[in-house]
């Protein structure tokens, strides 16, 4: 079974959307206290769950056609967007090590595209 | 950064040792990989691309439930464990999914796929390390 390129694009889309949900989870987690209400009435966490559901919708569409050996590793592209959002929203610094790790992930992704 | 600065006023009622955190993350990779196999099985059998078809698919529902369990295990492990130790273990999920896809879905491996996953595992391992570590 071959993996269509649009399946790869759908995983890419799912990874972008998924990384946005992580921002809301992180922001919501920062507002958790001992009271259960801070978990259950936490609109940031609810938005995070909603966005994660949208992301998983596109992921399922993606893996309908194509090989999991190619498509699943592409999920790691999420780390690329997360690094960017972490800097924008949480002022986490870029470091040389992070760039190196991301470079390896992108290179691995390119190899998977070649091996599909 | 301490956990308390993120979750103000919260004091965890229990802590995991480093070894327990490693075991948790390892378990998380197994659950995560099993979830992906179920999700793929569910997706293969979908007759339509509507969200409702997905919500009513037992494979997808089971797969995403397992995924939720693995995420909770990961969060607990990350709370108490060292990131530089746990991240390389997390990326084992990619290895399990690769092997399981071959065994269960008869997918073929080639040099590009193996190198691609190896690079991703290495890259994710690097992300967990601090500069100068």
């Amino acid at each position: 079974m071959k993996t269509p390129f649009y399946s790869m694009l759908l995983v890419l889309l799912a990874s972008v959307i998924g990384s946005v949900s992580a921002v809301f989870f992180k922001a919501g987690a920062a507002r958790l206290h001992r009271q259960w209400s801070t978990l259950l009435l936490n609109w940031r966490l609810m938005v995070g769950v909603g966005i994660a559901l949208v992301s998983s919708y596109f992921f399922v569409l993606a893996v309908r056609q194509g090989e999991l050996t190619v498509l699943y590793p592409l999920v790691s592209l999420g780390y690329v967007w997360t690094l960017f959002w972490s800097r924008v929203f949480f002022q986490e610094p870029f470091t040389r090590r992070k760039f190196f790790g991301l470079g390896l992930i992108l290179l691995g992704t390119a190899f998977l595209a070649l091996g599909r | 950064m301490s956990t308390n600065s993120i979750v103000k006023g919260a004091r965890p009622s229990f802590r995991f040792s480093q070894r327990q955190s490693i075991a948790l993350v390892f378990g998380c990779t197994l659950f995560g990989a099993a979830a992906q196999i179920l999700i793929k099985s569910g997706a293969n059998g979908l007759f339509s691309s509507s969200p409702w078809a997905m919500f009513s698919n037992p494979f997808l529902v089971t797969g995403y439930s397992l995924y939720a369990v693995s995420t909770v295990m990961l969060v607990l492990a990350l709370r108490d464990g060292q990131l530089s130790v746990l991240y390389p273990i997390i990326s084992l999920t990619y290895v399990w999914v690769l092997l399981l896809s071959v065994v269960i879905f008869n997918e073929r491996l080639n040099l590009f796929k193996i190198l691609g996953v190896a690079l991703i595992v290495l890259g994710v391992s690097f992300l967990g390390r601090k500069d100068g570590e």
Side-chain angles (χ1 to χ4, degrees):
Chain A
M1 183 172 56
K2 288 266 284 174
T3 306
F5 191 66
Y6 68 80
S7 286
M8 297 181 72
L9 287 180
L10 278 171
V11 179
L12 181 85
L13 178 66
S15 79
V16 174
I17 299 172
S19 71
V20 177
S21 76
V23 172
F24 281 94
F25 284 133
K26 168 93 173 156
R31 287 162 179 83
L32 283 180
H33 304 285
R34 275 181 169 176
Q35 300 82 13
W36 279 96
S37 60
T38 62
L39 177 70
L40 299 173
L41 302 174
N42 194 319
W43 69 264
R44 290 173 183 83
L45 292 182
M46 288 180 207
V47 172
V49 170
I51 298 174
L53 282 173
V54 174
S55 162
S56 54
Y57 172 74
F58 287 108
F59 183 75
V60 172
L61 279 191
V63 297
R64 270 182 95 187
Q65 283 173 327
E67 296 180 309
L68 206 56
T69 43
V70 174
L71 296 174
Y72 180 66
L74 294 180
V75 171
S76 65
L77 284 171
Y79 287 109
V80 178
W81 327 126
T82 301
L83 195 80
F84 179 72
W85 301 134
S86 306
R87 166 141 178 148
V88 173
F89 292 108
F90 306 112
Q91 287 77 47
E92 294 180 14
F94 286 150
T95 63
R96 205 182 288 174
R97 227 170 243 285
K98 287 181 189 172
F99 274 119
F100 189 67
L102 287 194
L104 289 174
I105 289 174
L106 289 172
L107 198 64
T109 307
F111 271 80
L112 288 166
L114 289 171
R116 88 192 142 96
Chain B
M1 188 164 49
S2 73
T3 315
N4 286 342
S5 68
I6 300 172
V7 187
K8 239 184 242 165
R11 209 154 11 106
S13 48
F14 56 93
R15 289 256 176 221
F16 293 113
S17 68
Q18 178 76 349
R19 193 179 284 188
Q20 286 170 322
S21 293
I22 290 173
L24 261 177
V25 166
F26 190 79
C28 153
T29 67
L30 296 177
F31 276 84
Q36 294 306 322
I37 297 301
L38 285 166
I39 290 167
K40 173 65 175 158
S41 306
N44 282 345
L46 277 182
F47 52 88
S48 111
S49 57
S50 78
W52 173 242
M54 295 182 190
F55 276 119
S56 57
N57 183 301
F59 283 101
L60 289 179
V61 171
T62 315
Y64 274 104
S65 306
L66 270 184
Y67 182 72
V69 171
S70 86
T71 303
V72 171
M73 290 168 81
L74 176 65
V75 168
L76 286 173
L78 285 177
R79 191 190 69 183
D80 299 335
Q82 250 181 301
L83 214 60
S84 57
V85 179
L86 299 181
Y87 256 48
I89 305 173
I90 290 168
S91 62
L92 276 176
T93 311
Y94 297 103
V95 178
W96 306 144
V97 171
L98 200 75
L99 296 176
L100 287 170
S101 307
V102 171
V103 173
I104 295 172
F105 303 118
N106 298 313
E107 293 187 15
R108 295 257 173 98
L109 286 185
N110 56 43
L111 194 61
F112 283 124
K113 287 182 185 175
I114 293 169
L115 274 176
V117 168
L119 285 169
I120 288 172
V121 167
L122 204 64
V124 174
S125 307
F126 261 91
L127 290 181
R129 296 172 75 174
K130 286 183 197 132
D131 268 326
E133 213 176 336

